Amino acid sequence: MTKALDGVRILDFTHVQSGPTCTQLLAWFGADVIKVERPGEGDATRKQLVDVPGADSLYFTMLNHNKRSITIDTKAAKGKEILERLVKTCDVLVENFAPGALDRMGFSWQRIQELNPRMIMASVKGFGPGKYEDCKVYENVAQCAGGSASTTGFRDGLPLVTGAQIGDSGTGLHLALGIVAALLQRERTGRGQKVLAPMQDGVLNLCRVKLRDQQRLEKGPLKEYSQFGEGVPFGDAVPRAGNDSGGGQPGRILKCKGWETDPNAYTYFITQAAVWEDVCDVIGAPEWKTDPNFATPAMRLPRLNEIFARVEAWTMTKTKFEVMDICNPHDIPVGPILSMKELAEDEGLRATGTIVEVDHPKRGKYLSVGCPIKMSDSPVEVTRSPLLGEHTDEILSTVLGYSADELAAIKASGCTEPAPKKDKSAAAGAAPAAGVNLFRNT
């Protein structure tokens, strides 16, 4: 069966998380992703958070499935020649270097267009054009700069970053959408284009409900926030609201049976207006159905603390799964707080390919998150991440058309091989070599 992106070739200059998230998704949809890495070193995450000595880390393997790896010394003349051939051959170049790094390598947008007018150049940067565009950005910096941290946490506590990688992986997902749109537009225009996904912008997009609330706040208090019912005045910016629901339907995280010893024995419970009477019956408070103080959503807003205290008294007598079993038939929106251990063992997620087991020649079997998007005519088979330079010869010969003699000459030039190790004693007094810091955005 063909796949959605069969025939599309990606020149992958990405590293760490944001870019690899994007290119892995494209690879799952059938694109041929050629990951360019430094000889002998590769993506920095291969050696970060290592749990199996001598093997690529999970940090790397879980972000680089279904790709091919080629090692090239981009500073060598022969290496630049290979890159030029790749630019001419590929449809999309994806990078998350520091701003200006590609220009300094000799591959400006103008040069890329000269080599391949149909090329789409897709970039992740920390910030868009402006006063911060040269700043170094990582996941948590993006969350803080994009509005997530200021609106996450409790009112009387510090701003908090989320466990979800909305800065890195979230921006990678945004970039993948931009690439697919650019490929579609190219079918009509015949031209490539630049696609930019700044991490700050991506985080802000995922926080758009908070920008909604910022504008609502100018008209009056945010009545669905807990502090309204507690009589706490609002400031001039959207506050942190703990676990209040962001959709206008009051919700909180509540204790369930076993919470004293299980850090995840909790449920999220929403008192949706449409099922309010069912909520009253389920928690054993039928009198609230006719009490004028609880009759309407507006009347309930100042009493949310009382309401959720009563709901929690009930949830504490049930496990988080029993809460689901009881509430779901009534269409009461609830959700158990699932640990990573519970998710890893979930049979349903494994059956759909959301959790997959992958076999690796050096580290053995491991679990990963599979493709989160399911397409009926483009099934995904998750294959392992490449070893460093595993496909160098294959790409040079079958993709770029180098002959056997040319391959031998390339190897002899050293542009695809690790540089010989220097004598440490001889190099001890040498000044550090000048270079370009390419790797600044995650």
Side-chain angles (χ1 to χ4, degrees):
M1 181 181 290
T2 60
K3 296 190 177 183
L5 295 182
D6 274 351
V8 175
R9 184 166 288 144
I10 311 292
L11 182 54
D12 184 1
F13 268 115
T14 69
H15 57 283
V16 191
Q17 185 176 170
S18 59
T21 296
C22 168
T23 53
Q24 177 172 254
L25 192 61
L26 299 175
W28 281 338
F29 290 150
D32 178 15
V33 176
I34 298 174
K35 185 176 180 72
V36 179
E37 301 187 78
R38 291 172 291 184
E41 296 184 38
D43 190 317
T45 58
R46 286 184 183 269
K47 298 176 183 177
Q48 290 181 359
L49 307 178
V50 171
D51 60 312
V52 177
D56 291 330
S57 71
L58 288 170
Y59 196 176
F60 176 83
T61 61
M62 293 176 69
L63 289 164
N64 289 282
H65 294 113
N66 294 63
K67 303 178 185 180
R68 296 197 282 177
S69 171
I70 182 173
T71 51
I72 307 173
D73 179 358
T74 59
K75 296 178 182 179
K78 198 66 176 177
K80 289 185 183 297
E81 176 199 303
I82 295 170
L83 283 183
E84 287 193 355
R85 285 210 194 186
L86 283 168
V87 169
K88 292 177 181 178
T89 305
C90 292
D91 298 284
V92 184
L93 185 156
V94 189
E95 59 91 17
N96 59 336
F97 291 140
L102 274 179
D103 290 0
R104 294 190 290 273
M105 290 169 60
F107 289 90
S108 64
W109 172 238
Q110 181 179 353
R111 178 58 179 152
I112 289 170
Q113 285 282 280
E114 291 171 355
L115 294 169
N116 183 355
R118 290 174 56 82
M119 174 65 81
I120 293 161
M121 189 173 82
S123 304
V124 171
K125 301 300 174 199
F127 294 93
K131 60 182 178 178
Y132 298 124
E133 63 183 301
D134 291 329
C135 294
K136 183 184 290 187
V137 175
Y138 292 98
E139 169 66 43
N140 290 349
V141 175
Q143 289 193 31
C144 292
S148 176
S150 68
T151 56
T152 301
F154 288 88
R155 189 174 66 248
D156 56 354
L158 292 172
L160 295 176
V161 296
T162 72
Q165 303 292 281
I166 62 174
D168 276 328
S169 288
T171 304
L173 295 173
H174 283 93
L175 187 64
L177 175 60
I179 289 169
V180 172
L183 284 168
L184 183 62
Q185 186 174 10
R186 192 181 71 177
E187 292 300 303
R188 298 194 298 269
T189 67
R191 299 191 309 274
Q193 62 180 296
K194 291 196 290 185
V195 180
L196 173 65
M199 295 170 71
Q200 181 187 42
D201 300 31
V203 171
L204 180 56
N205 183 45
L206 297 176
C207 295
R208 64 175 49 237
V209 297
K210 298 301 182 180
L211 185 58
R212 173 204 67 191
D213 290 351
Q214 181 63 43
Q215 296 170 87
R216 292 174 55 228
L217 184 59
E218 295 170 3
K219 308 293 194 300
L222 305 173
K223 295 182 179 181
E224 77 278 14
Y225 281 51
S226 296
Q227 71 181 77
F228 171 74
E230 296 168 4
V232 178
F234 285 81
D236 60 359
V238 174
R240 292 182 280 285
N243 292 311
D244 291 349
S245 172
Q249 301 289 346
R252 302 240 183 121
I253 289 181
L254 305 176
K255 298 172 182 173
C256 291
K257 187 176 182 179
W259 68 272
E260 300 91 342
T261 56
D262 181 353
N264 295 299
Y266 293 84
T267 190
Y268 200 90
F269 197 107
I270 297 176
T271 56
Q272 188 178 23
V275 292
W276 170 246
E277 293 192 359
D278 293 275
V279 170
C280 296
D281 289 334
V282 162
I283 67 172
E287 69 277 9
W288 279 356
K289 293 190 290 185
T290 55
D291 188 328
N293 289 325
F294 299 92
T296 66
M299 293 298 293
R300 293 193 288 273
L301 284 175
R303 299 171 175 82
L304 289 179
N305 284 348
E306 178 185 355
I307 290 170
F308 281 111
R310 183 75 173 266
V311 177
E312 187 172 58
W314 175 77
T315 61
M316 288 172 64
T317 69
K318 314 292 180 188
T319 70
K320 60 189 179 185
F321 298 109
E322 288 172 339
V323 171
M324 277 198 79
D325 291 341
I326 294 169
C327 290
N328 279 344
H330 297 278
D331 289 331
I332 299 171
V334 296
I337 308 306
L338 296 178
S339 69
M340 280 296 149
K341 184 175 185 298
E342 289 169 319
L343 289 167
E345 296 170 352
D346 189 287
E347 293 181 0
L349 293 177
R350 292 194 179 214
T352 60
T354 299
I355 296 290
V356 295
E357 186 175 77
V358 184
D359 201 1
H360 190 277
K362 291 194 175 181
R363 64 173 302 116
K365 292 182 179 179
Y366 64 93
L367 290 184
S368 188
V369 180
C371 186
I373 302 166
K374 321 300 182 187
M375 298 176 66
S376 61
D377 281 357
S378 187
V380 173
E381 179 187 357
V382 177
T383 60
R384 67 168 176 84
S385 59
L387 302 177
L388 179 59
E390 180 177 353
H391 305 96
T392 298
D393 289 353
E394 175 182 297
I395 293 166
L396 291 174
S397 60
T398 63
V399 175
L400 301 183
Y402 283 105
S403 67
D405 289 343
E406 288 172 320
L407 279 178
I410 289 171
K411 283 186 176 294
S413 75
C415 73
T416 61
E417 308 300 316
K421 292 184 179 180
K422 295 181 179 179
D423 185 341
K424 292 183 180 180
S425 60
V436 178
N437 178 16
L438 303 180
F439 305 98
R440 291 183 53 187
N441 298 310
T442 60

